[in-house]
Amino acid sequence: MELIRVEPSCLGGLDVIEIEESARRIARMAQLKGDPLVIEVTNGNDTDTVEAGIRLFLTTLNHTGCRAAVVCREEVRVVRLLGSSSYELVLEQPIPSVARVAAIQVAVMESGTTVATELAESMANHYPLHIDGLEVAMRLARNCRKNTDVDEPLVARFATACKDLAADRISRLAERIEPVFRLDDIVLPPDRKEQLIEIVDHVRLAPRVLDDWKFREQLPYGRGVTALFFGPSGTGKTMAALGIARQLGTQILRLDLSRVVSKYIGDTEKNIDRVFTDAQRSGCAILIDEADALFGKRSEVKDAHDRYANIEVSYLLQRMEAYEGLAILTTNMRQNLDPAFLRRLRFIVDFPKPDVPAREMIWRQCVPAQSHQLDDAAFRQ
């Protein structure tokens, strides 16, 4: 059977008589066809006018004697909208990782192809889409992306569509960057290179540790991976962050301090919370350049400026602990960071100035072989 799917938020522009008539017609259609009626009230940002329309719609539907399933995220809000209507509350747990992987495989199989379990697990971890989002991504991959110059496989187009859909409606407080560098392009001592690979493994294997091994219940906060890259300018800190993001198959949200920091009290915290929420929803990694500007040491309160500056740093520490994704911070002055913040870092990577062999490797990577022919002596020079 088919579902009759209703989004009552779309009734916000109608008057009272039109809303009541819509409810009666939908109830009549459900009773005549015998198809189940599903009402989605998942948007938590509706205005008071829209909520009044939803309440009238549900009340009118109840008076017709029509039975329906109401899908929501906040049961308290929907109970308030239902008013005196009788209902049965069914609480469902969030979709586990196994079900998300199965949903991705089903979405791909409906188009006549298959996806490997490992790739499906990677997509489920990187792109936190809902089930209907996976359906939209598959339609986008199947239809809109056929006219590209490169004939990509359907699975690759589906992964790109999931990435674009997850990053939709990101605020302008951060710059979205598609990483172009690889970890192999980064010239660092072997022990520092191992740390970068370990960061990738921590992010990639986090679902197994938290969900499969049941450590999520033991860790109410601090589930994310936070890394600090410090060292002189030009040593490859931002390049390394991009290389990690590319290795993980995700994008970077680079915090724009000029847009985030506000002179108005409380606005900076709101802007930072929006960036972290966008990163959590889109599956992107956060990059905060010049982190000492935000995470500076808290000082003794001598005036109102010191008090509110300390509040900003304290809020940032709390928000970092609640974040469950990858956050990379870079700074040239580690000594200026608040000690409480350093204790919350899982990785601290020192980027030293490159020595002579490292500089030669960098020159060999930077000089295009198609236009410049240099011998070994020239590179050593």
Side-chain angles (χ1 to χ4, degrees), residues 73-120:
R73 297 177 185 172
E74 302 172 357
E75 62 270 15
V76 175
R77 172 172 175 252
V78 173
V79 168
R80 187 176 67 250
L81 293 175
L82 287 171
S84 59
S85 303
S86 60
Y87 62 88
E88 178 185 354
L89 184 61
V90 180
L91 297 176
E92 292 288 343
Q93 296 297 322
I95 301 175
S97 58
V98 177
R100 290 177 51 79
V101 172
I104 290 177
Q105 292 175 322
V106 169
V108 175
M109 281 168 40
E110 289 180 351
S111 297
T113 184
T114 58
V115 58
T117 303
E118 184 177 352
L119 178 58

Side-chain angles (χ1 to χ4, degrees), residues 6 17 20 28 36 39 101 131 144 209 212 266 270 284 324:
V6 180
I17 297 177
E20 292 178 337
R28 187 182 307 126
I39 303 170
V101 172
I131 300 300
C144 300
V209 174
D212 298 348
K270 292 179 182 177
C284 296
E324 296 189 10

Side-chain angles (χ1 to χ4, degrees), residues 63 151 204 214 253 271 294 303 340 377:
H63 289 162
D151 187 17
R204 185 171 287 166
K214 309 302 181 184
L253 281 186
N271 294 337
L294 285 176
D303 54 25

Side-chain angles (χ1 to χ4, degrees), residues 26 43 51 60 94 96 113 146 150-151 161 165 170 172 184 194 210 226-227 244 252 262 293 311 333 345 359-360 375:
I26 289 174
N43 186 9
E51 287 211 350
T60 307
T113 184
K146 285 185 178 179
V150 181
D151 187 17
L165 200 64
I170 287 180
R172 298 183 60 189
D184 295 337
E194 287 293 330
L210 295 175
T226 310
I244 290 173
I252 284 280
S262 173
I311 289 175
M333 295 175 287
L345 295 170
R359 291 200 299 271
E360 181 178 343
D375 54 13

Side-chain angles (χ1 to χ4, degrees), residues 5-17:
R5 179 177 173 183
V6 180
E7 295 184 15
S9 297
C10 302
L11 302 173
L14 303 181
D15 57 29
V16 173
I17 297 177

Side-chain angles (χ1 to χ4, degrees), residues 150-168:
V150 181
D151 187 17
E152 289 184 302
L154 179 64
V155 175
R157 297 201 305 269
F158 177 58
T160 304
C162 288
K163 181 190 300 184
D164 295 342
L165 200 64
D168 187 29

